[in-house]
Amino acid sequence: RFYKLCQQAGVRYEGREFHGTRHHAGVQAYKQFGTFDRVAEHLRQADVNQGKRYGFMADETLSDGVKDW
């Protein structure tokens, strides 16, 4: 399924892209929602504490080159 999505997007699939994509989605969800429970719900995590790592990564220390992703 993920392989097919990569093909449709024109992204070369190397078998390790899923984690990075999920991590990016978690950071973006935290920036948008601002709560860990919403991040956990968005990523379908059973425990709200799992989403806390994305809040840490979403702080304002991101470089200007990637903050608008």
Side-chain angles (χ1 to χ4, degrees):
R1 190 181 225 185
F2 193 70
Y3 174 76
K4 194 173 195 175
L5 181 63
C6 286
Q7 281 185 316
Q8 291 172 352
V11 174
R12 189 171 134 212
Y13 180 77
E14 296 178 357
R16 62 179 184 268
E17 291 82 1
F18 184 77
H19 178 75
T21 303
R22 182 177 175 84
H23 182 80
H24 178 75
V27 171
Q28 292 302 106
Y30 182 77
K31 288 168 100 177
Q32 182 172 346
F33 303 133
T35 64
F36 298 121
D37 58 334
R38 294 293 304 274
V39 173
E41 181 182 345
H42 176 68
L43 297 177
R44 297 181 179 181
Q45 295 174 321
D47 184 358
V48 172
N49 289 318
Q50 291 176 317
K52 289 185 177 179
R53 73 184 79 167
Y54 303 111
F56 173 75
M57 296 302 295
D59 69 13
E60 296 305 317
T61 62
L62 294 175
S63 71
D64 289 340
V66 296
K67 74 179 180 182
D68 293 329
W69 281 9

